[in-house]
Amino acid sequence: MDSLRNSLRRLNPLSLSTGDRERESEDAAFDRIRRSDFVESMPFWLPPTLLVLLFVYGAIGWNVAISFTGWSGLGQPDYTNFTLEMYRQMPGDPDFVASLRNTIALLIAFTGVSLVVGLALALLVDRKIRFENTFRTIYLLPMALSFVVTAIFWSWMYASDGLINTTLGGLGLGWLAQDWLGDPRFKLAAVIVALIWQFSGYCMIVYLAGLRSIPSAHYEAARIDGASTLKLYWRVIIPQLRSSTVGATVVLMVFALKAFDFIYVMFGTNPGRSADILAVTMYREAFSASEWAYGAAIAVVLFALALTIIGPYAYTQYKRGAL
């Protein structure tokens, strides 16, 4: 009898009661949700999302919490009495001030010179020179090396009997030979030169892609207007490379902040105040001095620097619909 009644209801929807219609509507809505792309794709994106939230953002949050304690690494942190003491002592810490100054100098000098060298190489390769692919490969090859390999390679170059001093001596310029990694005057400059060597090829590729994307009509119009080669590039071509410059700048600055392994391999945990950077200071305070709270506070400052670099770029890209 019930099956007959259900069959009649399906044949005549008007015979359904209000409650039955609401239940069927709810079932249909639930079925649509269950069959949606969002729900069906959950097994693929939900587990990695939870892992990232736990091990990345959860770790960042825990690090911030530790920076407000006085934890030295022994026992459990006291989360009941948060304080800003770790941040207050930073301005009076000469090691922190020196590492912050060196980090900013590294960001500016390394990024600026790498962009200029990369642009010059891109303009040269864009002239349709012979063996263009070979030159591009040679210039880009250092980018494929890790910081560890680059640091070992340049440590050999900078050694007292290394290639640089040997070459200077062979050219009769032995008086220019220096203790590049031992003299505080040259330590940071030596690091910057090595990083420029590694990343200028990357800038060349970014700029070369930007140059190849500029319509040839722009070149032709500028030449018809009588623009010289210098004015052509300065007023027509280079302004159109703004997006390439911004993208390369963000990438270079992020790599500069991640130069810990380069400094560590080249100098160890104590490169001296002339070459110290925030990442090395953070490691030394946490793992060598067992000042975990202070090391966590330095890590927060380093994280804030990274957000200052990436945040505006990500927001701009989002507003443009590129994210």
Side-chain angles (χ1 to χ4, degrees):
M1 198 66 169
D2 291 337
S3 62
L4 179 60
R5 187 181 297 111
N6 291 335
S7 299
L8 291 174
R9 285 178 176 176
R10 284 195 295 269
L11 292 174
N12 185 12
L14 296 176
S15 63
L16 293 174
S17 65
T18 303
D20 292 336
R21 285 197 295 270
E22 290 179 352
R23 280 193 296 271
E24 286 198 0
S25 177
E26 292 174 357
D27 292 341
F30 177 77
D31 188 64
R32 283 195 302 271
I33 294 174
R34 185 176 60 84
R35 295 179 181 275
S36 65
D37 294 338
F38 176 80
V39 174
E40 290 184 346
S41 63
M42 284 181 65
F44 300 97
W45 62 262
L46 185 58
T49 299
L50 293 177
L51 291 175
V52 169
L53 289 175
L54 176 62
F55 292 106
V56 177
Y57 296 103
I60 292 174
W62 187 36
N63 181 86
V64 173
I66 289 176
S67 70
F68 292 121
T69 68
W71 191 40
S72 61
L74 299 176
Q76 294 295 324
D78 183 10
Y79 298 115
T80 61
N81 185 23
F82 282 174
T83 177
L84 295 174
E85 180 59 30
M86 297 298 107
Y87 296 94
R88 292 194 188 100
Q89 72 182 54
M90 285 181 179
D93 181 4
D95 290 335
F96 172 80
V97 174
S99 63
L100 179 60
R101 182 181 63 247
N102 293 337
T103 300
I104 295 175
L106 177 63
L107 283 172
I108 296 173
F110 160 63
T111 303
V113 178
S114 294
L115 290 174
V116 172
V117 174
L119 177 60
L121 293 174
L123 294 176
L124 175 65
V125 174
D126 192 49
R127 303 287 293 182
K128 307 296 183 183
I129 61 175
R130 295 182 62 185
F131 310 111
E132 174 187 335
N133 292 334
T134 302
F135 281 113
R136 280 193 301 176
T137 302
I138 293 174
Y139 292 142
L140 189 60
L141 182 61
M143 177 67 181
L145 303 177
S146 67
F147 274 157
V148 174
V149 174
T150 304
I152 294 174
F153 172 75
W154 279 91
S155 294
W156 294 339
M157 296 277 288
Y158 287 133
S160 57
D161 57 348
L163 180 61
I164 295 177
N165 286 342
T166 301
T167 302
L168 290 174
L171 295 175
L173 301 174
W175 56 276
L176 290 177
Q178 303 289 338
D179 183 9
W180 304 106
L181 300 182
D183 193 330
R185 296 175 300 170
F186 303 111
K187 279 185 175 182
L188 187 61
V191 172
I192 293 173
V193 169
L195 292 179
I196 291 171
W197 171 83
Q198 183 171 11
F199 286 94
S200 58
Y202 162 77
C203 296
M204 178 201 70
I205 294 299
V206 172
Y207 278 127
L208 188 60
L211 288 170
R212 297 288 167 83
S213 66
I214 297 176
S216 58
H218 293 192
Y219 293 88
E220 297 172 0
R223 291 192 180 98
I224 291 174
D225 291 339
S228 62
T229 302
L230 180 60
K231 288 185 177 181
L232 170 66
Y233 282 101
W234 183 253
R235 296 187 177 181
V236 179
I237 305 305
I238 293 179
Q240 298 186 64
L241 298 176
R242 179 183 176 185
S243 60
S244 300
T245 301
V246 173
T249 299
V250 172
V251 172
L252 291 175
M253 285 188 170
V254 170
F255 272 107
L257 292 177
K258 295 168 57 179
F260 164 80
D261 37 359
F262 186 93
I263 303 290
Y264 181 83
V265 171
M266 188 170 279
F267 299 107
T269 59
N270 192 12
R273 292 179 183 173
S274 61
D276 211 358
I277 61 175
L278 285 176
V280 178
T281 304
M282 172 196 67
Y283 178 88
R284 185 172 61 250
E285 292 293 336
F287 294 96
S288 298
S290 295
E291 295 290 343
W292 286 83
Y294 191 46
I298 297 175
V300 172
V301 173
L302 190 60
F303 181 66
L305 278 176
L307 283 182
T308 303
I309 296 169
I310 299 174
Y313 175 76
Y315 177 76
T316 303
Q317 293 297 104
Y318 173 77
K319 296 292 287 186
R320 293 173 55 187
L323 289 180

